Amino acid sequence: MNKQIFRVLIFILILISVNNYLISAEKLKVYISVDMEGIAGVVHREQSSSAGKDYNIARKWMIEETNAVIQGALDAGATEIVVNDSHGSMRNIILSELHPSAYLITGSPKPLSMMQGIDDSFDAVIFIGYHAKAGTKNGVLDHTYSGSSIYSIRINNIEMPEVGINALVAGYFDVPVVLVSGDSEVCFQAKELLSKEIEVVPVKEGIGRYAAKCLPLNKAFKLLREKTKLALKKRSKIKPFKLDPPYTFELEFNFSYQADYPELIPGVKRKNGRTVYFVIKDYIEGFKLMRALIALARSQ
Ligand SMILES: [Zn+2]
């Protein structure tokens, strides 16, 4: 073999190995937003409030469900996993107990709240521990962003659970929500609203607002792991959730006084005693304004 041919052969071998490396290193970036009311075992504020006497055991279950989903994402070949703590103070997940493969976004307030950290570099979004929208029969701890102030939130005339409001944030960045877990009611609402193609894991069935029949934990963890892998594998079949702009946000508060301050913001109009609305072209700007209005409503 002369030197010239030898050099060409070496060059081809290098090309093949680089190509193989690139194939094996296909990017799969997964975003996980974790709420608490939809975690198996959680049915009361004594568990979901950081001041509650059963809070520490509930946050342990929350971390364990999160770790099961992280394991499922790794099974599917995830190359980067970001977990956003999305409940209450957003300081529920203990970093030292979280699976060491995941990054953790913790604390609040955050500009994008339950969706902080999402951008167009992600390939899929997963919601776990989620709950049904305010006013859902048998929805365990049902509410929409604020139990104390929100009666309902409508976007372009569709009454939204947090699943929908947050999926639209992911949709803004062209990222699909591929799996939702929580009680059976939120799983039903997610399938109805987002897509029949998404995977759901109902870890408990509501018997009322404060009661549920729960899966055994080992079964819940197994299902979460398996369905996460399945959902990520079929992610290309699931479309990001989007609505056509402009966006009309309508916030109906529990009490009329809660609309008094929100009405003062430029562009926000009063519809009736307890309802305000605004129209906006950019969904993320609308999402942020919605949250500011809720904070104002809660400030009195
Ligand atoms: Zn929550």
Side-chain angles (χ1 to χ4, degrees), residues 68 72 75 179 220-231:
D75 294 344
L179 181 139
F221 300 154
K222 188 169 180 279
L223 270 176
L224 283 166
R225 181 175 176 172
E226 288 170 0
K227 294 274 185 173
T228 296
K229 184 181 178 187
L230 179 68

Side-chain angles (χ1 to χ4, degrees), residues 35-37 86-88 114 129 131 143 162:
D35 204 349
M36 195 173 200
E37 290 87 350
S86 300
H87 172 75
M114 300 177 82
H131 52 80
H143 66 278
E162 290 172 15

Side-chain angles (χ1 to χ4, degrees), residues 208-240:
R209 187 167 201 261
Y210 299 119
K213 181 181 179 187
C214 303
L215 287 186
L217 285 188
N218 58 353
K219 193 166 184 181
F221 300 154
K222 188 169 180 279
L223 270 176
L224 283 166
R225 181 175 176 172
E226 288 170 0
K227 294 274 185 173
T228 296
K229 184 181 178 187
L230 179 68
L232 289 172
K233 289 282 182 196
K234 67 173 200 187
R235 66 187 181 279
S236 59
K237 293 197 189 108
I238 303 171
K239 285 200 185 102

Side-chain angles (χ1 to χ4, degrees), residues 63-289:
I63 297 165
E64 285 176 333
E65 282 199 17
T66 308
N67 285 343
V69 169
I70 292 168
Q71 196 55 61
L74 292 171
D75 294 344
T79 51
E80 187 175 331
I81 301 166
V82 176
V83 171
N84 182 26
D85 191 326
S86 300
H87 172 75
S89 68
M90 302 189 172
R91 284 180 274 113
N92 310 284
I93 295 173
I94 301 160
L95 183 57
S96 56
E97 292 181 22
L98 187 68
H99 194 295
S101 299
Y103 293 88
L104 176 66
I105 297 174
T106 180
S108 77
K110 301 176 277 205
L112 290 184
S113 187
M114 300 177 82
M115 294 304 290
Q116 184 62 39
I118 188 72
D119 61 33
D120 60 9
S121 70
F122 283 89
D123 301 287
V125 164
I126 289 171
F127 294 153
I128 58 179
Y130 269 51
H131 52 80
K133 64 188 171 192
T136 302
K137 183 172 186 282
N138 292 341
V140 178
L141 297 168
D142 63 320
H143 66 278
T144 309
Y145 262 91
S146 163
S148 62
S149 67
I150 292 291
Y151 187 84
S152 76
I153 294 177
R154 288 178 290 276
I155 300 173
N156 293 6
N157 255 327
I158 303 169
E159 193 175 344
M160 289 283 181
E162 290 172 15
V163 161
I165 297 168
N166 296 346
L168 284 168
V169 176
Y172 179 91
F173 295 105
D174 281 321
V175 189
V177 174
V178 298
L179 181 139
V180 174
S181 86
D183 67 351
S184 39
E185 290 305 316
V186 74
C187 291
F188 174 76
Q189 289 175 5
K191 279 222 166 201
E192 285 290 295
L193 190 59
L194 308 187
S195 158
K196 300 281 182 220
E197 289 294 317
I198 66 165
E199 290 296 326
V200 293
V201 182
V203 295
K204 60 189 171 190
E205 192 179 331
I207 297 167
R209 187 167 201 261
Y210 299 119
K213 181 181 179 187
C214 303
L215 287 186
L217 285 188
N218 58 353
K219 193 166 184 181
F221 300 154
K222 188 169 180 279
L223 270 176
L224 283 166
R225 181 175 176 172
E226 288 170 0
K227 294 274 185 173
T228 296
K229 184 181 178 187
L230 179 68
L232 289 172
K233 289 282 182 196
K234 67 173 200 187
R235 66 187 181 279
S236 59
K237 293 197 189 108
I238 303 171
K239 285 200 185 102
F241 182 50
K242 289 167 183 280
L243 293 176
D244 291 332
Y247 304 98
T248 302
F249 283 72
E250 202 171 290
L251 278 69
E252 187 170 3
F253 297 107
N254 287 332
F255 304 101
S256 58
Y257 77 84
Q258 292 173 322
D260 288 347
Y261 274 139
E263 184 195 2
L264 305 183
I265 303 297
V268 178
K269 297 195 173 65
R270 188 88 171 236
K271 184 182 175 184
N272 58 40
R274 56 185 188 189
T275 311
V276 298
Y277 71 97
F278 62 88
V279 182
I280 200 160
K281 279 188 197 145
D282 184 273
Y283 184 77
I284 296 295
E285 281 181 20
F287 175 84
K288 289 178 178 171
L289 180 51

